[in-house]
Amino acid sequence: MPGSVLTCRQSGQSYPYQIHRGLNPAHLLQLHEQWEAEKTKILKQIVEATPQVAEDNELFLEQIHLYRLADLGWRWLDKALFFNTPEYQWFFLEADAKIQAVCIIYHPKASRLDGDHIFYVDYVASAYWNRNRPGHTKQFGNVSRLLIAHASHFAITTLGYRPGFCLHSLPTAESYYRNLGMIEYEADATKENLRYYEAPQTVAGQLAREAHRG
């Protein structure tokens, strides 16, 4: 996407970005090294700010939520071992020499609305420095949205699917997907009781057009 830029919320400076499709080991290792370093820094901040977490598991979980670490246990190198067959597609957003967000989709998935082929967002995450937390303003906003938009455009133009996608949401992200205009369904006992969401054609189509304009 030549000409596409992100604006840093900390400095106001603009940075060109690129979206890479495919499970490239170089991008995967870049993500692993950069994100693990940031996660370690945040965990140290939590321990320093609230030493009681060492003996209070409930307090620790509260801090994890406060510091936007609901995906603390996700291991991207492990995911590469399992999500590397043709029905999976990986997308990486890179800017300022860092991986700013990552998305893994699965296709095809049957829509609950009409049974047509859509895609399923298995995982989507922004880098830890792109999340607000105590004492920190995120560097870039909307990076996960950019990847979902790009995946929507890819599914329509390359896979030939109608606009549409679905996912199971972490509890901390449910309001985001509702505000995006996705349809909310019941919690799914087969997916750790996570709630299922599906984007209707209008929402997915609009996102795809955002990617095209980029």
Side-chain angles (χ1 to χ4, degrees):
M1 287 187 178
S4 300
V5 297
L6 295 172
T7 300
C8 178
R9 297 188 175 186
Q10 300 167 353
S11 66
Q13 184 175 349
S14 294
Y15 293 85
Y17 72 83
Q18 289 184 305
I19 293 178
H20 309 284
R21 181 174 62 85
L23 184 51
N24 185 315
H27 297 141
L28 182 66
L29 289 173
Q30 184 181 0
L31 180 155
H32 174 75
E33 292 174 359
Q34 295 170 344
W35 290 28
E36 287 299 309
E38 185 75 4
K39 182 164 60 177
T40 299
K41 183 176 77 174
I42 297 170
L43 289 172
K44 287 180 178 179
Q45 290 175 349
I46 292 174
V47 172
E48 290 172 359
T50 316
Q52 307 94 306
V53 297
E55 300 178 356
D56 189 332
N57 188 59
E58 185 173 338
L59 178 61
F60 177 66
L61 294 177
E62 290 177 0
Q63 295 301 304
I64 290 301
H65 176 76
L66 180 64
Y67 281 76
R68 306 294 193 270
L69 293 176
D71 56 347
L72 177 67
W74 291 7
R75 298 290 184 268
W76 296 100
L77 293 180
D78 293 343
K79 295 184 189 308
L81 298 176
F82 295 99
F83 304 107
N84 59 11
T85 49
E87 62 268 26
Y88 293 98
Q89 291 286 338
W90 288 63
F91 299 88
F92 299 86
L93 192 157
E94 184 179 17
D96 191 24
K98 293 185 289 187
I99 300 299
Q100 303 293 342
V102 62
C103 179
I104 308 173
I105 70 168
Y106 169 88
H107 68 92
K109 183 79 171 180
S111 166
R112 288 198 185 184
L113 297 174
D114 55 19
D116 281 353
H117 283 173
I118 58 175
F119 69 91
Y120 177 81
V121 179
D122 250 308
Y123 296 96
V124 61
S126 59
Y128 298 111
W129 54 82
N130 290 328
R131 309 177 193 185
N132 290 322
R133 62 178 187 265
H136 174 82
T137 299
K138 69 174 68 174
Q139 183 179 12
F140 298 118
N142 295 323
V143 285
S144 292
R145 180 189 179 105
L146 279 171
L147 283 187
I148 295 175
H150 189 82
S152 296
H153 187 257
F154 169 80
I156 295 167
T157 60
T158 302
L159 301 178
Y161 300 160
R162 71 148 172 84
F165 62 91
C166 57
L167 52 85
H168 288 85
S169 173
L170 293 173
T172 53
E174 288 183 357
S175 61
Y176 173 81
Y177 293 119
R178 285 194 293 267
N179 291 335
L180 193 62
M182 298 183 73
I183 299 170
E184 181 177 354
Y185 290 83
E186 71 285 351
D188 189 342
T190 68
K191 286 283 189 177
E192 302 176 1
N193 284 318
L194 298 178
R195 195 168 296 278
Y196 178 87
Y197 289 82
E198 183 168 329
Q201 292 193 45
T202 52
V203 171
Q206 173 59 37
L207 281 171
R209 287 190 290 274
E210 290 179 14
H212 182 65
R213 288 196 300 268

